[in-house]
């Protein structure tokens, strides 16, 4: 029992650390539900996220129903919302902050003022029996949602009630999950606000462009990481951070004048020099990295216009001053160039994603190029503008990249 307890605690702590590193909200929900279900061993579960006075049914997993699907299919579910009140299990938990451990859903204790809605079971052919409903409460006592675990199972996958003794572990887990979700939500809110600020400034940086560049970057990274033998865990963490960072690649354009940003023609040399400052301006927003995400966002903003052969910009600059870093001034007092692996990986990846999208799209200053011309340009850039190894990854995942482009169509 003691052995078991220590093992359990260690597992909980690892889960806590792990999920606090994942910052993308959707992925975080998936991880939380999966970890909770693995931990208590149960067949199904759902997450509700609180929005004002309602609970949004946000995510669900069900092993039994998933197993009935054809291979490769995913469980489809509707999102709906229910009020936070005593008329449902999740609403009750969110309202009272109580954990409810129900051995049989079709036979609720008389103390609860409602019955389970059997509609879902009727439609899906599922039989909900035991339910553990836990409020997601942060350490300050704020309830941000509800975790619902369904059909605990014994070692032979027979449905049993949830063990009373497991409740306090699950409560602890729920508070960790609540904190991670709150952080992720805050981070996403800040990031989306920054992106929409950048969009306001630059009509070309629409949500679609930003989503495409992020989507391509992730596809390229995954392929590269696979070829390099990077572990699945590390790949997943980086994928998430890279997606957000890539969305922010041009956020420094908020610092560039409209006259330049929206000029419907080629830029003059001095205008282009000003435009180039969007890299340093963007990096400066994340100059005091407090998380992996800040670090990645800084790398991407600063380095997405560097070239593998050292012909890009801004080179070895001090982000806070824009001046050359010590020991990195050339004879004219300009920063020396960055080349090869001096350019951080995420910068080298987003460079490829950004140019591919710029060439394929209409810009105020150019037409969209046709595909063969775009691909020739990308191939020609290998070893010059682009890292050859990453260009190879880019071409390996071209079908996925086109799928991303289709999902976020060019305007
Ligand atoms: P952007 O439009 O997102 O372009 C990103 C990068 O794609 C460019 O970085 C460049 O490397 C590549 N690219 C885009 N169009 C072409 C093209 O026609 N030919 C080639 N070979 N490459 C292309 P770059 O040049 O550092 O520009 C950075 C940003 O500066 C651009 O982002 C755009 O916002 C702005 N910009 C650059 N040139 C002009 C221009 O002539 N007029 C205007 N209005 N803006 C420009
Ligand atoms: C968009 O549809 O995202 C804008 C087009 C562009 O990327 O230039
Ligand atoms: C641009 O049109 O974005 C400039 C591209 C270049 O000069 O290579
Ligand atoms: Fe840029
Ligand atoms: Fe861009």
């Amino acid at each position: 029992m003691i052995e078991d307890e220590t093992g359990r605690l260690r597992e909980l702590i690892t889960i806590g650390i792990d999920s606090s590193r994942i910052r993308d909200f959707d992925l975080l929900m998936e991880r939380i539900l999966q970890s909770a279900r693995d931990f208590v061993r149960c067949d199904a579960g759902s997450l509700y996220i609180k929005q004002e006075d309602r609970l949004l049914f946000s995510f669900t997993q069900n092993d039994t129903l998933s197993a009935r699907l054809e291979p490769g299919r995913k469980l489809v579910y509707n999102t709906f919302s229910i009020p936070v009140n005593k008329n449902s299990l999740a609403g009750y938990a969110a309202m009272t902050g109580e954990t409810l451990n129900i051995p049989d859903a079709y036979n609720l204790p008389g103390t609860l003022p409602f019955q389970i809605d059997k509609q879902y079971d009727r439609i899906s052919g599922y039989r909900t029996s035991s339910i553990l409903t836990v409020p997601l409460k942060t350490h300050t006592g704020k309830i941000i949602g509800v975790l619902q675990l369904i059909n605990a199972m014994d070692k032979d996958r027979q449905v049993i009630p949830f063990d009373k003794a497991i409740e306090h572990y699950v409560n602890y887990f729920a508070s960790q999950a609540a904190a991670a979700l709150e952080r992720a939500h805050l981070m996403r809110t800040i990031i989306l606000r920054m992106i929409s600020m950048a969009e306001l400034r630059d009509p070309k940086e629409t949500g679609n462009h930003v989503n495409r560049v992020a989507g391509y970057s992730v596809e390229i990274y995954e392929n590269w990481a696979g070829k390099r033998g990077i572990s699945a865990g590390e790949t997943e963490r980086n994928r998430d951070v890279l997606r957000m960072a890539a969305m922010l690649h041009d956020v420094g354009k908020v610092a560039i004048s409209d006259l330049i940003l929206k000029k419907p023609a080629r830029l003059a040399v001095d205008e282009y020099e000003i435009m180039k400052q969007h890299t340093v301006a963007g990096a400066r927003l994340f100059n005091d990295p407090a998380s992996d995400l800040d670090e990645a966002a800084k790398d991407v903003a600063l380095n997405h216009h560097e070239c593998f052969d050292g012909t890009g910009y801004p080179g070895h600059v001090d982000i806070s001053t824009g001046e050359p870093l010590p020991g990195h001034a050339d004879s004219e007092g300009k920063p020396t160039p960055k080349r090869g692996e001096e350019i951080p990986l995420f910068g080298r990846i987003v460079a490829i994603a950004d140019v591919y999208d710029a060439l394929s799209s209409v810009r105020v200053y150019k037409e969209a190029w046709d595909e063969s011309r775009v691909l020739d340009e990308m191939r020609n850039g290998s070893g010059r503008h682009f890292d050859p190894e990453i260009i190879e990854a880019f071409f390996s995942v071209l079908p996925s990249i086109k799928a991303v482009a289709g999902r976020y169509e060019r305007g």
Side-chain angles (χ1 to χ4, degrees):
M1 186 60 206
I2 298 289
E3 275 292 342
D4 201 35
E5 289 259 345
T6 354
R8 277 234 149 114
L9 268 179
R10 198 176 311 122
E11 200 181 325
L12 265 180
I13 289 162
T14 331
I15 292 166
I17 292 168
D18 233 0
S19 47
S20 71
R21 294 180 65 167
I22 300 253
R23 293 197 173 69
D24 184 80
F25 199 75
D26 295 329
L27 245 148
L28 184 58
M29 288 200 294
E30 182 177 344
R31 286 288 291 276
I32 285 172
L33 192 53
Q34 189 67 55
S35 309
R37 290 181 46 233
D38 290 348
F39 183 67
V40 301
R41 199 187 304 127
C42 67
D43 190 43
S46 302
L47 270 176
Y48 296 81
I49 300 297
K50 199 170 150 205
Q51 270 177 4
E52 282 149 34
D53 56 354
R54 295 187 76 82
L55 283 175
L56 202 63
F57 181 85
S58 302
F59 195 73
T60 194
Q61 294 169 345
N62 186 311
D63 287 349
T64 296
L65 293 181
S66 292
R68 289 184 199 157
L69 300 172
E70 285 166 40
R73 289 293 177 109
K74 279 187 179 167
L75 200 61
V76 179
Y77 57 92
N78 293 321
T79 50
F80 57 89
S81 76
I82 53 173
V84 174
N85 61 26
K86 295 192 174 179
N87 296 334
S88 66
L89 267 178
Y92 190 99
M95 180 156 179
T96 61
E98 282 171 38
T99 293
L100 296 166
N101 188 345
I102 309 289
D104 181 5
Y106 287 16
N107 198 359
L108 291 187
T111 49
L112 290 175
F114 54 88
Q115 288 299 312
I116 296 285
D117 180 2
K118 295 184 186 135
Q119 174 118 326
Y120 178 80
D121 278 11
R122 225 175 285 127
I123 293 169
S124 61
Y126 191 71
R127 171 63 161 91
T128 303
S129 299
S130 54
I131 310 182
L132 184 61
T133 306
V134 189
L136 293 169
K137 207 187 305 182
T138 66
H139 62 279
T140 60
K142 185 173 154 203
I143 293 173
I144 66 143
V146 173
L147 169 67
Q148 198 154 59
L149 299 173
I150 293 165
N151 288 0
M153 292 181 309
D154 64 15
K155 289 199 166 55
D156 306 316
R157 294 191 59 86
Q158 295 303 305
V159 175
I160 52 171
F162 286 91
D163 187 354
K164 175 94 187 126
I166 208 150
E167 283 179 32
H168 77 273
Y169 290 111
V170 176
N171 284 335
Y172 175 76
F173 179 86
S175 71
Q176 294 268 75
L181 281 168
E182 201 178 32
R183 268 198 305 279
H185 187 67
L186 190 67
M187 191 69 82
R188 176 175 276 194
T189 308
I190 292 170
I191 287 173
L192 291 179
R193 212 171 278 156
M194 290 173 90
I195 291 169
S196 58
M197 205 159 67
E199 277 169 26
L200 275 181
R201 293 300 324 288
D202 183 356
K204 147 179 78 58
E205 290 295 321
T206 61
N208 277 345
H209 169 62
V210 155
N211 278 311
R212 286 196 304 268
V213 172
Y216 306 154
S217 298
V218 169
E219 296 294 341
I220 296 168
Y221 171 73
E222 281 188 312
N223 184 273
W224 176 90
K227 287 175 176 156
R228 279 276 179 122
I230 311 281
S231 78
E234 190 183 335
T235 305
E236 189 182 314
R237 275 194 299 279
N238 281 335
R239 191 178 68 176
D240 234 24
V241 165
L242 175 57
R243 183 190 303 282
M244 285 287 178
M247 289 181 95
L248 290 164
H249 70 278
D250 271 339
V251 71
K253 283 183 177 173
V254 295
I256 308 297
S257 139
D258 272 352
L259 290 177
I260 294 176
L261 211 52
K262 298 182 182 167
K263 183 176 173 176
R266 307 287 309 176
L267 297 179
V269 173
D270 57 334
E271 292 170 331
Y272 191 42
E273 285 308 309
I274 294 170
M275 181 55 119
K276 287 177 177 177
Q277 292 169 11
H278 78 279
T279 51
V280 179
R284 210 171 276 147
L285 295 171
F286 308 99
N287 200 12
D288 194 12
S291 69
D292 297 356
L293 179 60
D294 297 293
E295 189 77 49
K298 189 186 78 177
D299 280 352
V300 167
L302 187 63
N303 297 292
H304 72 279
H305 290 295
E306 294 290 359
C307 296
F308 199 70
D309 64 2
T311 59
Y313 59 89
H316 289 284
V317 288
D318 180 331
I319 295 167
S320 24
T321 62
E323 297 297 312
L325 282 168
H328 284 284
D330 66 13
S331 54
E332 293 171 38
K334 297 226 176 80
T336 56
K338 274 188 201 172
R339 56 168 56 91
E341 300 199 350
E342 287 175 346
I343 307 161
L345 173 68
F346 285 0
R348 284 178 274 143
I349 291 175
V350 174
I352 290 173
D354 188 33
V355 173
Y356 172 73
D357 201 58
L359 297 179
S360 309
S361 308
V362 188
R363 290 284 148 101
V364 282
Y365 59 93
K366 64 173 273 294
E367 285 302 311
W369 293 12
D370 65 45
E371 189 187 2
S372 63
R373 190 172 167 209
V374 173
L375 296 182
D376 282 347
E377 182 78 10
M378 300 306 292
R379 209 172 279 114
N380 277 333
S382 178
R384 294 205 278 267
H385 193 154
F386 309 124
D387 181 337
E389 195 184 331
I390 301 177
I391 276 292
E392 203 190 301
F394 166 82
F395 278 102
S396 304
V397 293
L398 201 53
S400 314
I401 284 185
K402 289 188 201 166
V404 171
R407 216 172 311 141
Y408 303 106
E409 270 190 77
R410 297 189 182 93

